[in-house]
Amino acid sequence: MADDIGVGEAVQALRDELLSAATAGASSGLQFEVGPIELEFAFTLTKEATAKVGVSRIFSAVVSADVTGKAGKQDTHRVKFVLTPKSASGSPLLISNNNPPEVGELDSAFGR
């Protein structure tokens, strides 16, 4: 199908989002290290067999009689990828927050 998203496209979209987040908060004082990211994909394989038997000519008259049969089997498979993002230099990818909360706000957010 034309609307299907391939593995390469999904990984590229994830890469673009991570780079955008890292760039947007590069000057922030609060950073997050991006840990392993799990992506799971499902795909279906279909196997079909078609048989067609037909008679098209008897003597000088044209007679058509076709019989078509189709048998198929579908299997759904799942593939899981674990990606660990790194910067171009090989260090862990850091994502920053442009508006880090004050220390008191962090305490109240965690019920302290």
Side-chain angles (χ1 to χ4, degrees):
M1 292 183 122
D3 295 329
D4 290 345
I5 297 172
V7 173
E9 291 172 298
V11 171
Q12 183 61 49
L14 176 61
R15 180 184 292 118
D16 292 346
E17 288 295 321
L18 288 171
L19 287 173
S20 175
T23 301
S27 62
S28 175
L30 178 63
Q31 297 183 331
F32 302 96
E33 181 176 337
V34 179
I37 298 170
E38 293 184 10
L39 300 173
E40 186 172 327
F41 299 91
F43 61 96
T44 303
L45 295 178
T46 303
K47 186 175 186 179
E48 288 186 355
T50 303
K52 183 175 180 180
V53 178
V55 176
S56 59
R57 186 175 234 194
I58 300 176
F59 300 107
S60 62
V62 175
V63 177
S64 180
D66 291 331
V67 177
T68 303
K70 184 185 276 190
K73 180 181 178 189
Q74 286 188 343
D75 290 314
T76 300
H77 302 274
R78 296 194 181 282
V79 177
K80 184 188 229 182
F81 296 96
V82 177
L83 305 174
T84 304
K86 303 273 185 185
S87 70
S89 66
S91 60
L93 181 64
L94 300 176
I95 304 256
S96 302
N97 180 352
N98 280 335
N99 300 308
E102 296 296 321
V103 175
E105 292 174 2
L106 281 176
D107 288 340
S108 63
F110 290 105
R112 296 182 199 158

